[in-house]
Amino acid sequence: MQDTAWLVSLTLMGLLLAVFVFVWSQSSVREEDFTPLQKRAYRLRARLFWLLVLTLGPAMLYNLIDLPYATADARQRDAQVIDAVGHQWYWQLSRNEVQAGQPVLFRVTSADVNHGFGIYDTGLRLVAQVQAMPGYTNVLRHTFAQPGKYRVLCLEYCGLVHHNMIAEIDVVDSRGATKE
């Protein structure tokens, strides 16, 4: 089998060498002046380049103006902050009540092992998540649109009582009322 593969490889390499030799031999036979064609091609290429710059440049600027990076610091100062620390087998939250419609900045870490910090709405749909790791603080920004009781569950198996690792966040409207 290996002898056959060796012969086929040698044959294909010889065929490829023959093609290269043929192309090389044909290219040196005629010499034509391609300067006018080359000048037209470069002129066309330059026009296409400037057409792209003039059409895509304003589109790029229009799209980049609305990037949130310039205002991220201001939003962070106005955000409601919750420090969340995962322990085996409970969540320690610095606060458990926030207002709907205002950004919340979660600073999530772990005191022992890796945990998954998952926020679920009243219908138990996952709305935001981040990893809680020992020795590292992950930042999660989320704005709760609707008032209600949101649950924080662990998304990563962390031991025997993992299933009981639940905390609640009360999201209230601007008047302080929680929707049940």
Side-chain angles (χ1 to χ4, degrees):
M1 182 70 170
Q2 288 181 345
D3 291 335
T4 306
W6 175 249
L7 288 175
V8 169
S9 296
L10 280 178
T11 305
L12 290 175
M13 284 188 278
L15 183 63
L16 187 61
L17 179 63
V19 168
F20 276 116
V21 168
F22 174 76
V23 169
W24 174 75
S25 67
Q26 294 300 315
S27 66
S28 62
V29 169
R30 59 187 160 140
E31 292 189 22
E32 295 180 26
D33 185 24
F34 291 106
T35 306
L37 179 64
Q38 187 178 19
K39 285 182 181 178
R40 280 197 323 251
Y42 282 137
R43 207 170 25 247
L44 176 64
R45 184 187 300 175
R47 287 181 183 153
L48 286 175
F49 172 77
W50 287 111
L51 177 71
L52 286 174
V53 166
L54 293 175
T55 56
L56 297 180
M60 177 190 66
L61 291 174
Y62 175 75
N63 286 320
L64 290 176
I65 287 172
D66 290 332
L67 285 178
Y69 304 129
T71 60
D73 188 43
R75 280 198 330 248
Q76 187 167 331
R77 280 182 299 209
D78 297 337
Q80 306 166 86
V81 177
I82 296 180
D83 292 315
V85 181
H87 297 269
Q88 286 183 313
W89 292 279
Y90 64 96
W91 290 107
Q92 178 185 357
L93 303 178
S94 62
R95 63 191 281 194
N96 66 348
E97 185 176 298
V98 294
Q99 288 189 347
Q102 293 183 4
V104 181
L105 181 74
F106 292 94
R107 294 187 293 219
V108 182
T109 189
S110 172
D112 41 41
V113 299
N114 281 1
H115 298 282
F117 184 83
I119 303 172
Y120 290 82
D121 66 7
T122 54
L124 288 180
R125 289 180 297 269
L126 184 65
V127 296
Q129 67 177 348
V130 72
Q131 190 72 23
M133 301 178 290
Y136 186 79
T137 301
N138 276 316
V139 176
L140 172 67
R141 291 172 185 86
H142 182 70
T143 302
F144 295 96
Q146 299 294 324
K149 288 194 181 289
Y150 289 76
R151 287 188 176 179
V152 177
L153 303 175
C154 183
L155 299 175
E156 186 168 326
Y157 182 72
C158 57
L160 293 173
V161 195
H162 159 77
H163 64 279
N164 203 33
M165 199 167 165
I166 302 169
E168 283 192 350
I169 299 172
D170 291 323
V171 178
V172 297
D173 63 11
S174 58
R175 297 178 306 271
T178 302
K179 177 184 167 187
E180 294 296 330

